[in-house]
mmCIF file of all heavy atoms in Angstrom:
data_model
loop_
_atom_site.group_PDB
_atom_site.id
_atom_site.type_symbol
_atom_site.label_atom_id
_atom_site.label_comp_id
_atom_site.label_asym_id
_atom_site.label_seq_id
_atom_site.Cartn_x
_atom_site.Cartn_y
_atom_site.Cartn_z
ATOM 1 N N LYS A 1 -108.943 -17.971 -108.133
ATOM 2 C CA LYS A 1 -108.107 -19.036 -108.289
ATOM 3 C C LYS A 1 -108.785 -20.401 -107.756
ATOM 4 O O LYS A 1 -108.532 -21.458 -108.271
ATOM 5 C CB LYS A 1 -106.873 -18.809 -107.440
ATOM 6 C CG LYS A 1 -106.002 -17.759 -108.014
ATOM 7 C CD LYS A 1 -104.696 -17.597 -107.108
ATOM 8 C CE LYS A 1 -103.724 -16.550 -107.722
ATOM 9 N NZ LYS A 1 -102.604 -16.433 -106.936
ATOM 10 N N ARG A 2 -109.757 -19.998 -107.002
ATOM 11 C CA ARG A 2 -110.390 -21.283 -106.330
ATOM 12 C C ARG A 2 -111.961 -21.315 -106.654
ATOM 13 O O ARG A 2 -112.526 -20.221 -106.841
ATOM 14 C CB ARG A 2 -110.259 -21.403 -104.896
ATOM 15 C CG ARG A 2 -108.852 -21.606 -104.524
ATOM 16 C CD ARG A 2 -108.698 -21.841 -102.895
ATOM 17 N NE ARG A 2 -107.942 -22.832 -102.433
ATOM 18 C CZ ARG A 2 -107.511 -23.997 -102.735
ATOM 19 N NH1 ARG A 2 -107.767 -24.341 -103.990
ATOM 20 N NH2 ARG A 2 -106.857 -24.774 -101.927
ATOM 21 N N THR A 3 -112.666 -22.339 -106.753
ATOM 22 C CA THR A 3 -114.141 -22.369 -106.900
ATOM 23 C C THR A 3 -114.754 -21.716 -105.725
ATOM 24 O O THR A 3 -114.112 -21.630 -104.524
ATOM 25 C CB THR A 3 -114.589 -23.811 -106.977
ATOM 26 O OG1 THR A 3 -114.169 -24.563 -105.851
ATOM 27 C CG2 THR A 3 -113.959 -24.578 -108.224
ATOM 28 N N PRO A 4 -116.009 -21.496 -105.799
ATOM 29 C CA PRO A 4 -116.820 -20.735 -104.697
ATOM 30 C C PRO A 4 -116.649 -21.534 -103.373
ATOM 31 O O PRO A 4 -116.632 -21.044 -102.295
ATOM 32 C CB PRO A 4 -118.065 -20.447 -105.204
ATOM 33 C CG PRO A 4 -117.942 -20.431 -106.626
ATOM 34 C CD PRO A 4 -116.849 -21.434 -107.086
ATOM 35 N N SER A 5 -116.727 -22.827 -103.474
ATOM 36 C CA SER A 5 -116.737 -23.745 -102.341
ATOM 37 C C SER A 5 -115.356 -23.739 -101.739
ATOM 38 O O SER A 5 -115.091 -24.348 -100.654
ATOM 39 C CB SER A 5 -117.177 -25.119 -102.585
ATOM 40 O OG SER A 5 -116.311 -25.664 -103.511
ATOM 41 N N ARG A 6 -114.324 -23.295 -102.448
ATOM 42 C CA ARG A 6 -112.942 -23.270 -102.112
ATOM 43 C C ARG A 6 -112.207 -24.670 -102.052
ATOM 44 O O ARG A 6 -111.170 -24.768 -101.559
ATOM 45 C CB ARG A 6 -112.712 -22.502 -100.851
ATOM 46 C CG ARG A 6 -113.440 -21.203 -100.779
ATOM 47 C CD ARG A 6 -112.928 -20.145 -99.934
ATOM 48 N NE ARG A 6 -112.049 -19.208 -99.763
ATOM 49 C CZ ARG A 6 -111.505 -18.333 -100.661
ATOM 50 N NH1 ARG A 6 -111.760 -18.686 -101.949
ATOM 51 N NH2 ARG A 6 -110.658 -17.442 -100.343
ATOM 52 N N ASN A 7 -112.899 -25.578 -102.527
ATOM 53 C CA ASN A 7 -112.468 -27.037 -102.544
ATOM 54 C C ASN A 7 -111.493 -27.244 -103.675
ATOM 55 O O ASN A 7 -110.550 -28.031 -103.460
ATOM 56 C CB ASN A 7 -113.585 -27.985 -102.625
ATOM 57 C CG ASN A 7 -114.640 -27.986 -101.530
ATOM 58 O OD1 ASN A 7 -114.644 -27.044 -100.817
ATOM 59 N ND2 ASN A 7 -115.479 -28.890 -101.628
ATOM 60 N N LYS A 8 -111.683 -26.708 -104.727
ATOM 61 C CA LYS A 8 -110.852 -26.929 -105.969
ATOM 62 C C LYS A 8 -110.182 -25.709 -106.449
ATOM 63 O O LYS A 8 -110.738 -24.685 -106.430
ATOM 64 C CB LYS A 8 -111.834 -27.567 -106.981
ATOM 65 C CG LYS A 8 -112.462 -28.759 -106.593
ATOM 66 C CD LYS A 8 -113.299 -29.278 -107.801
ATOM 67 C CE LYS A 8 -114.075 -30.572 -107.402
ATOM 68 N NZ LYS A 8 -115.025 -30.913 -108.346
ATOM 69 N N VAL A 9 -108.950 -26.121 -107.055
ATOM 70 C CA VAL A 9 -108.263 -24.901 -107.669
ATOM 71 C C VAL A 9 -108.743 -24.914 -109.159
ATOM 72 O O VAL A 9 -108.825 -25.897 -109.829
ATOM 73 C CB VAL A 9 -106.724 -25.173 -107.677
ATOM 74 C CG1 VAL A 9 -105.941 -24.192 -108.469
ATOM 75 C CG2 VAL A 9 -106.244 -25.247 -106.282
ATOM 76 N N ARG A 10 -109.128 -23.639 -109.604
ATOM 77 C CA ARG A 10 -109.526 -23.492 -110.973
ATOM 78 C C ARG A 10 -108.381 -23.575 -112.002
ATOM 79 O O ARG A 10 -107.146 -23.193 -111.604
ATOM 80 C CB ARG A 10 -110.239 -22.102 -111.169
ATOM 81 C CG ARG A 10 -111.550 -21.958 -110.449
ATOM 82 C CD ARG A 10 -112.123 -20.561 -110.830
ATOM 83 N NE ARG A 10 -113.594 -20.621 -110.472
ATOM 84 C CZ ARG A 10 -114.134 -19.544 -109.886
ATOM 85 N NH1 ARG A 10 -113.525 -18.476 -109.525
ATOM 86 N NH2 ARG A 10 -115.394 -19.558 -109.488
ATOM 87 N N THR A 11 -108.705 -23.904 -113.185
ATOM 88 C CA THR A 11 -107.693 -23.948 -114.167
ATOM 89 C C THR A 11 -107.318 -22.377 -114.517
ATOM 90 O O THR A 11 -108.132 -21.429 -114.091
ATOM 91 C CB THR A 11 -108.187 -24.610 -115.418
ATOM 92 O OG1 THR A 11 -109.260 -23.812 -115.991
ATOM 93 C CG2 THR A 11 -108.481 -26.048 -115.263
ATOM 94 N N ARG A 12 -106.278 -22.058 -115.188
ATOM 95 C CA ARG A 12 -106.033 -20.702 -115.556
ATOM 96 C C ARG A 12 -107.144 -20.087 -116.279
ATOM 97 O O ARG A 12 -107.551 -18.987 -116.028
ATOM 98 C CB ARG A 12 -104.818 -20.713 -116.221
ATOM 99 C CG ARG A 12 -104.314 -19.281 -116.684
ATOM 100 C CD ARG A 12 -103.004 -19.317 -117.466
ATOM 101 N NE ARG A 12 -101.953 -19.556 -116.295
ATOM 102 C CZ ARG A 12 -100.669 -19.878 -116.575
ATOM 103 N NH1 ARG A 12 -100.209 -19.729 -117.697
ATOM 104 N NH2 ARG A 12 -99.928 -20.115 -115.528
ATOM 105 N N GLU A 13 -107.678 -20.848 -117.202
ATOM 106 C CA GLU A 13 -108.765 -20.437 -118.126
ATOM 107 C C GLU A 13 -110.046 -20.007 -117.226
ATOM 108 O O GLU A 13 -110.741 -19.052 -117.497
ATOM 109 C CB GLU A 13 -109.055 -21.329 -119.281
ATOM 110 C CG GLU A 13 -107.976 -21.633 -120.198
ATOM 111 C CD GLU A 13 -106.789 -22.391 -119.704
ATOM 112 O OE1 GLU A 13 -106.922 -23.202 -118.805
ATOM 113 O OE2 GLU A 13 -105.704 -22.344 -120.318
ATOM 114 N N ALA A 14 -110.328 -20.985 -116.375
ATOM 115 C CA ALA A 14 -111.498 -20.887 -115.515
ATOM 116 C C ALA A 14 -111.368 -19.661 -114.535
ATOM 117 O O ALA A 14 -112.355 -18.963 -114.362
ATOM 118 C CB ALA A 14 -111.808 -22.094 -114.710
ATOM 119 N N ALA A 15 -110.126 -19.414 -114.039
ATOM 120 C CA ALA A 15 -109.896 -18.374 -113.242
ATOM 121 C C ALA A 15 -110.091 -17.091 -113.997
ATOM 122 O O ALA A 15 -110.616 -16.050 -113.510
ATOM 123 C CB ALA A 15 -108.446 -18.406 -112.639
ATOM 124 N N HIS A 16 -109.506 -17.080 -115.106
ATOM 125 C CA HIS A 16 -109.649 -15.861 -116.097
ATOM 126 C C HIS A 16 -111.091 -15.511 -116.343
ATOM 127 O O HIS A 16 -111.617 -14.353 -116.287
ATOM 128 C CB HIS A 16 -108.834 -16.006 -117.372
ATOM 129 C CG HIS A 16 -108.831 -14.704 -118.183
ATOM 130 N ND1 HIS A 16 -108.082 -13.594 -117.870
ATOM 131 C CD2 HIS A 16 -109.488 -14.456 -119.340
ATOM 132 C CE1 HIS A 16 -108.439 -12.599 -118.710
ATOM 133 N NE2 HIS A 16 -109.226 -13.064 -119.616
ATOM 134 N N ALA A 17 -111.911 -16.570 -116.632
ATOM 135 C CA ALA A 17 -113.414 -16.401 -116.957
ATOM 136 C C ALA A 17 -114.042 -15.813 -115.615
ATOM 137 O O ALA A 17 -114.910 -14.975 -115.845
ATOM 138 C CB ALA A 17 -114.026 -17.712 -117.397
ATOM 139 N N ALA A 18 -113.659 -16.426 -114.555
ATOM 140 C CA ALA A 18 -114.375 -15.945 -113.295
ATOM 141 C C ALA A 18 -114.045 -14.450 -113.073
ATOM 142 O O ALA A 18 -114.794 -13.610 -112.598
ATOM 143 C CB ALA A 18 -113.893 -16.657 -112.027
ATOM 144 N N TRP A 19 -112.742 -13.998 -113.267
ATOM 145 C CA TRP A 19 -112.380 -12.633 -113.244
ATOM 146 C C TRP A 19 -113.172 -11.748 -114.195
ATOM 147 O O TRP A 19 -113.600 -10.642 -113.763
ATOM 148 C CB TRP A 19 -110.857 -12.505 -113.304
ATOM 149 C CG TRP A 19 -110.260 -11.021 -113.398
ATOM 150 C CD1 TRP A 19 -110.144 -10.126 -112.386
ATOM 151 C CD2 TRP A 19 -110.011 -10.363 -114.602
ATOM 152 N NE1 TRP A 19 -109.867 -9.091 -112.799
ATOM 153 C CE2 TRP A 19 -109.646 -9.114 -114.227
ATOM 154 C CE3 TRP A 19 -109.946 -10.710 -115.979
ATOM 155 C CZ2 TRP A 19 -109.277 -8.197 -115.157
ATOM 156 C CZ3 TRP A 19 -109.662 -9.736 -116.918
ATOM 157 C CH2 TRP A 19 -109.188 -8.500 -116.422
ATOM 158 N N GLU A 20 -113.178 -12.143 -115.375
ATOM 159 C CA GLU A 20 -113.856 -11.326 -116.444
ATOM 160 C C GLU A 20 -115.408 -11.193 -116.027
ATOM 161 O O GLU A 20 -115.976 -10.194 -116.149
ATOM 162 C CB GLU A 20 -113.824 -12.019 -117.771
ATOM 163 C CG GLU A 20 -112.583 -11.922 -118.493
ATOM 164 C CD GLU A 20 -112.419 -12.525 -119.819
ATOM 165 O OE1 GLU A 20 -113.173 -13.493 -120.126
ATOM 166 O OE2 GLU A 20 -111.737 -11.909 -120.792
ATOM 167 N N GLN A 21 -116.009 -12.281 -115.440
ATOM 168 C CA GLN A 21 -117.346 -12.111 -114.989
ATOM 169 C C GLN A 21 -117.449 -11.027 -113.877
ATOM 170 O O GLN A 21 -118.378 -10.199 -113.774
ATOM 171 C CB GLN A 21 -117.783 -13.486 -114.426
ATOM 172 C CG GLN A 21 -119.324 -13.502 -114.107
ATOM 173 C CD GLN A 21 -120.167 -13.211 -115.239
ATOM 174 O OE1 GLN A 21 -120.133 -13.807 -116.305
ATOM 175 N NE2 GLN A 21 -121.029 -12.288 -115.190
ATOM 176 N N ALA A 22 -116.548 -11.061 -112.978
ATOM 177 C CA ALA A 22 -116.531 -10.020 -111.884
ATOM 178 C C ALA A 22 -116.466 -8.681 -112.494
ATOM 179 O O ALA A 22 -117.002 -7.808 -111.938
ATOM 180 C CB ALA A 22 -115.413 -10.386 -110.898
ATOM 181 N N CYS A 23 -115.537 -8.607 -113.429
ATOM 182 C CA CYS A 23 -115.365 -7.214 -114.126
ATOM 183 C C CYS A 23 -116.775 -6.790 -114.711
ATOM 184 O O CYS A 23 -117.140 -5.551 -114.677
ATOM 185 C CB CYS A 23 -114.330 -7.224 -115.114
ATOM 186 S SG CYS A 23 -112.559 -7.423 -114.455
ATOM 187 N N ARG A 24 -117.343 -7.767 -115.533
ATOM 188 C CA ARG A 24 -118.516 -7.369 -116.102
ATOM 189 C C ARG A 24 -119.687 -6.866 -115.054
ATOM 190 O O ARG A 24 -120.363 -5.964 -115.263
ATOM 191 C CB ARG A 24 -119.167 -8.579 -116.877
ATOM 192 C CG ARG A 24 -118.346 -8.795 -118.234
ATOM 193 C CD ARG A 24 -119.134 -9.758 -119.198
ATOM 194 N NE ARG A 24 -119.390 -11.075 -118.498
ATOM 195 C CZ ARG A 24 -118.421 -12.084 -118.530
ATOM 196 N NH1 ARG A 24 -117.391 -12.027 -119.130
ATOM 197 N NH2 ARG A 24 -118.858 -13.310 -118.079
ATOM 198 N N SER A 25 -119.739 -7.713 -113.973
ATOM 199 C CA SER A 25 -120.719 -7.332 -112.953
ATOM 200 C C SER A 25 -120.430 -5.974 -112.304
ATOM 201 O O SER A 25 -121.263 -5.205 -112.042
ATOM 202 C CB SER A 25 -120.635 -8.389 -111.730
ATOM 203 O OG SER A 25 -121.303 -8.133 -110.693
ATOM 204 N N ARG A 26 -119.131 -5.700 -112.073
ATOM 205 C CA ARG A 26 -118.731 -4.477 -111.470
ATOM 206 C C ARG A 26 -119.063 -3.304 -112.364
ATOM 207 O O ARG A 26 -119.599 -2.208 -111.906
ATOM 208 C CB ARG A 26 -117.200 -4.433 -111.160
ATOM 209 C CG ARG A 26 -116.703 -3.240 -110.480
ATOM 210 C CD ARG A 26 -116.459 -3.296 -109.098
ATOM 211 N NE ARG A 26 -116.206 -4.545 -108.355
ATOM 212 C CZ ARG A 26 -115.098 -4.851 -107.834
ATOM 213 N NH1 ARG A 26 -114.100 -4.057 -107.688
ATOM 214 N NH2 ARG A 26 -114.936 -5.962 -107.209
ATOM 215 N N TRP A 27 -118.875 -3.401 -113.653
ATOM 216 C CA TRP A 27 -119.244 -2.266 -114.697
ATOM 217 C C TRP A 27 -120.670 -2.167 -114.587
ATOM 218 O O TRP A 27 -121.151 -0.964 -114.748
ATOM 219 C CB TRP A 27 -118.634 -2.601 -116.167
ATOM 220 C CG TRP A 27 -117.190 -2.146 -116.194
ATOM 221 C CD1 TRP A 27 -116.154 -2.808 -116.000
ATOM 222 C CD2 TRP A 27 -116.898 -0.813 -116.532
ATOM 223 N NE1 TRP A 27 -114.972 -2.188 -116.268
ATOM 224 C CE2 TRP A 27 -115.372 -0.874 -116.536
ATOM 225 C CE3 TRP A 27 -117.435 0.387 -116.852
ATOM 226 C CZ2 TRP A 27 -114.672 0.216 -116.887
ATOM 227 C CZ3 TRP A 27 -116.703 1.375 -117.101
ATOM 228 C CH2 TRP A 27 -115.322 1.468 -117.212
ATOM 229 N N ARG A 28 -121.474 -3.252 -114.635
ATOM 230 C CA ARG A 28 -122.904 -3.048 -114.707
ATOM 231 C C ARG A 28 -123.392 -2.425 -113.394
ATOM 232 O O ARG A 28 -124.349 -1.550 -113.389
ATOM 233 C CB ARG A 28 -123.628 -4.451 -114.823
ATOM 234 C CG ARG A 28 -123.547 -5.146 -116.105
ATOM 235 C CD ARG A 28 -123.755 -4.261 -117.415
ATOM 236 N NE ARG A 28 -125.272 -3.642 -117.417
ATOM 237 C CZ ARG A 28 -125.577 -2.829 -118.366
ATOM 238 N NH1 ARG A 28 -124.714 -2.422 -119.299
ATOM 239 N NH2 ARG A 28 -126.718 -2.442 -118.450
ATOM 240 N N ALA A 29 -122.847 -2.684 -112.280
ATOM 241 C CA ALA A 29 -123.150 -2.014 -110.952
ATOM 242 C C ALA A 29 -122.935 -0.500 -111.010
ATOM 243 O O ALA A 29 -123.637 0.288 -110.527
ATOM 244 C CB ALA A 29 -122.418 -2.681 -109.869
ATOM 245 N N LEU A 30 -121.725 -0.221 -111.595
ATOM 246 C CA LEU A 30 -121.398 1.266 -111.820
ATOM 247 C C LEU A 30 -122.460 1.897 -112.700
ATOM 248 O O LEU A 30 -122.865 3.074 -112.347
ATOM 249 C CB LEU A 30 -119.960 1.315 -112.493
ATOM 250 C CG LEU A 30 -119.549 2.871 -112.784
ATOM 251 C CD1 LEU A 30 -119.475 3.719 -111.584
ATOM 252 C CD2 LEU A 30 -118.200 2.854 -113.464
ATOM 253 N N HIS A 31 -122.808 1.307 -113.818
ATOM 254 C CA HIS A 31 -123.841 1.890 -114.665
ATOM 255 C C HIS A 31 -125.183 2.037 -113.829
ATOM 256 O O HIS A 31 -125.834 3.138 -113.974
ATOM 257 C CB HIS A 31 -124.102 0.867 -115.811
ATOM 258 C CG HIS A 31 -125.122 1.345 -116.846
ATOM 259 N ND1 HIS A 31 -126.398 1.074 -116.709
ATOM 260 C CD2 HIS A 31 -125.002 2.045 -117.943
ATOM 261 C CE1 HIS A 31 -127.071 1.620 -117.667
ATOM 262 N NE2 HIS A 31 -126.303 2.185 -118.418
ATOM 263 N N LEU A 32 -125.621 1.054 -113.115
ATOM 264 C CA LEU A 32 -126.717 1.082 -112.397
ATOM 265 C C LEU A 32 -126.707 2.286 -111.317
ATOM 266 O O LEU A 32 -127.606 3.093 -111.182
ATOM 267 C CB LEU A 32 -126.992 -0.049 -111.578
ATOM 268 C CG LEU A 32 -128.220 -0.132 -110.630
ATOM 269 C CD1 LEU A 32 -129.523 -0.013 -111.280
ATOM 270 C CD2 LEU A 32 -128.205 -1.418 -109.719
ATOM 271 N N ALA A 33 -125.529 2.410 -110.635
ATOM 272 C CA ALA A 33 -125.322 3.468 -109.642
ATOM 273 C C ALA A 33 -125.439 4.967 -110.339
ATOM 274 O O ALA A 33 -126.165 5.844 -109.781
ATOM 275 C CB ALA A 33 -123.964 3.326 -108.890
ATOM 276 N N ILE A 34 -124.773 5.181 -111.378
ATOM 277 C CA ILE A 34 -124.767 6.474 -112.082
ATOM 278 C C ILE A 34 -126.266 6.675 -112.551
ATOM 279 O O ILE A 34 -126.748 7.818 -112.368
ATOM 280 C CB ILE A 34 -123.708 6.563 -113.170
ATOM 281 C CG1 ILE A 34 -122.321 6.478 -112.496
ATOM 282 C CG2 ILE A 34 -123.914 7.773 -113.941
ATOM 283 C CD1 ILE A 34 -121.229 6.343 -113.469
ATOM 284 N N LYS A 35 -126.875 5.725 -113.091
ATOM 285 C CA LYS A 35 -128.151 5.814 -113.593
ATOM 286 C C LYS A 35 -129.221 6.239 -112.535
ATOM 287 O O LYS A 35 -130.016 7.198 -112.575
ATOM 288 C CB LYS A 35 -128.724 4.558 -114.384
ATOM 289 C CG LYS A 35 -130.075 4.764 -114.906
ATOM 290 C CD LYS A 35 -130.529 3.415 -115.622
ATOM 291 C CE LYS A 35 -131.784 3.598 -116.304
ATOM 292 N NZ LYS A 35 -132.164 2.273 -117.115
ATOM 293 N N ALA A 36 -129.066 5.545 -111.350
ATOM 294 C CA ALA A 36 -129.994 5.850 -110.190
ATOM 295 C C ALA A 36 -129.718 7.265 -109.658
ATOM 296 O O ALA A 36 -130.658 7.981 -109.398
ATOM 297 C CB ALA A 36 -129.636 4.874 -109.164
ATOM 298 N N LYS A 37 -128.481 7.678 -109.608
ATOM 299 C CA LYS A 37 -128.228 9.069 -109.175
ATOM 300 C C LYS A 37 -128.700 10.064 -110.108
ATOM 301 O O LYS A 37 -129.483 11.058 -109.765
ATOM 302 C CB LYS A 37 -126.755 9.315 -109.162
ATOM 303 C CG LYS A 37 -126.037 8.463 -107.870
ATOM 304 C CD LYS A 37 -124.621 8.667 -107.877
ATOM 305 C CE LYS A 37 -123.832 8.118 -106.698
ATOM 306 N NZ LYS A 37 -124.154 8.938 -105.407
ATOM 307 N N LEU A 38 -128.609 9.895 -111.411
ATOM 308 C CA LEU A 38 -129.015 10.800 -112.319
ATOM 309 C C LEU A 38 -130.568 10.817 -112.510
ATOM 310 O O LEU A 38 -131.154 11.988 -112.384
ATOM 311 C CB LEU A 38 -128.585 10.546 -113.842
ATOM 312 C CG LEU A 38 -127.053 10.690 -114.090
ATOM 313 C CD1 LEU A 38 -126.464 10.097 -115.183
ATOM 314 C CD2 LEU A 38 -126.639 12.192 -113.958
ATOM 315 N N GLU A 39 -131.142 9.687 -112.304
ATOM 316 C CA GLU A 39 -132.655 9.631 -112.332
ATOM 317 C C GLU A 39 -133.241 10.318 -110.969
ATOM 318 O O GLU A 39 -134.175 11.148 -111.115
ATOM 319 C CB GLU A 39 -133.195 8.292 -112.432
ATOM 320 C CG GLU A 39 -134.710 8.249 -112.570
ATOM 321 C CD GLU A 39 -135.279 8.912 -113.887
ATOM 322 O OE1 GLU A 39 -134.440 9.201 -114.847
ATOM 323 O OE2 GLU A 39 -136.422 9.161 -113.809
ATOM 324 N N ALA A 40 -132.504 10.168 -109.894
ATOM 325 C CA ALA A 40 -133.051 10.796 -108.690
ATOM 326 C C ALA A 40 -132.989 12.270 -108.677
ATOM 327 O O ALA A 40 -133.850 12.947 -108.204
ATOM 328 C CB ALA A 40 -132.123 10.289 -107.467
ATOM 329 N N VAL A 41 -131.829 12.894 -109.362
ATOM 330 C CA VAL A 41 -131.826 14.247 -109.529
ATOM 331 C C VAL A 41 -132.863 14.781 -110.609
ATOM 332 O O VAL A 41 -133.543 15.687 -110.289
ATOM 333 C CB VAL A 41 -130.298 14.569 -110.159
ATOM 334 C CG1 VAL A 41 -130.313 16.140 -110.668
ATOM 335 C CG2 VAL A 41 -129.330 14.324 -109.052
ATOM 336 N N GLU A 42 -133.159 13.974 -111.687
ATOM 337 C CA GLU A 42 -134.037 14.369 -112.691
ATOM 338 C C GLU A 42 -135.417 14.431 -112.120
ATOM 339 O O GLU A 42 -136.183 15.500 -112.525
ATOM 340 C CB GLU A 42 -134.017 13.319 -113.822
ATOM 341 C CG GLU A 42 -134.854 13.597 -115.026
ATOM 342 C CD GLU A 42 -134.315 14.680 -115.865
ATOM 343 O OE1 GLU A 42 -133.002 15.011 -115.790
ATOM 344 O OE2 GLU A 42 -135.087 15.262 -116.694
ATOM 345 N N VAL A 43 -135.812 13.562 -111.197
ATOM 346 C CA VAL A 43 -137.266 13.610 -110.702
ATOM 347 C C VAL A 43 -137.313 14.504 -109.469
ATOM 348 O O VAL A 43 -138.453 14.516 -108.852
ATOM 349 C CB VAL A 43 -137.914 12.114 -110.536
ATOM 350 C CG1 VAL A 43 -137.860 11.390 -111.830
ATOM 351 C CG2 VAL A 43 -137.077 11.422 -109.409
ATOM 352 N N GLY A 44 -136.261 14.956 -109.004
ATOM 353 C CA GLY A 44 -136.336 15.943 -107.816
ATOM 354 C C GLY A 44 -136.234 15.257 -106.460
ATOM 355 O O GLY A 44 -136.536 15.776 -105.413
ATOM 356 N N ILE A 45 -135.738 14.017 -106.416
ATOM 357 C CA ILE A 45 -135.657 13.358 -105.038
ATOM 358 C C ILE A 45 -134.517 14.098 -104.229
ATOM 359 O O ILE A 45 -134.541 14.106 -103.140
ATOM 360 C CB ILE A 45 -135.390 11.850 -105.181
ATOM 361 C CG1 ILE A 45 -136.642 11.091 -105.871
ATOM 362 C CG2 ILE A 45 -134.885 11.227 -103.948
ATOM 363 C CD1 ILE A 45 -136.379 9.759 -106.270
ATOM 364 N N THR A 46 -133.418 14.391 -105.021
ATOM 365 C CA THR A 46 -132.289 14.966 -104.514
ATOM 366 C C THR A 46 -131.699 15.946 -105.375
ATOM 367 O O THR A 46 -132.131 16.038 -106.512
ATOM 368 C CB THR A 46 -131.252 13.917 -104.209
ATOM 369 O OG1 THR A 46 -130.141 14.463 -103.386
ATOM 370 C CG2 THR A 46 -130.741 13.132 -105.346
#
């Protein structure tokens, strides 16, 4: 709802865009975590 500096209120569209960005980031992090786990198993680290 607010800009990173917390000074300004975002428009509804800007707030939605920031939320979508956070969702994209979270999904990429999940992809990375699963990939790292599978690769660690594949090469025998764990």
Side-chain angles (χ1 to χ4, degrees):
K1 292 180 180 180
R2 295 185 133 340
T3 59
S5 63
R6 309 204 85 32
N7 300 9
K8 297 180 184 173
V9 174
R10 287 184 168 135
T11 65
R12 181 175 292 170
E13 294 78 20
H16 185 73
W19 171 77
E20 283 183 330
Q21 184 64 50
C23 289
R24 288 193 301 272
S25 174
R26 182 96 33 114
W27 274 95
R28 290 313 296 173
L30 177 62
H31 180 274
L32 176 67
I34 292 172
K35 183 177 183 178
K37 288 175 174 291
L38 291 168
E39 188 59 23
V41 170
E42 186 74 18
V43 300
I45 294 169
T46 187

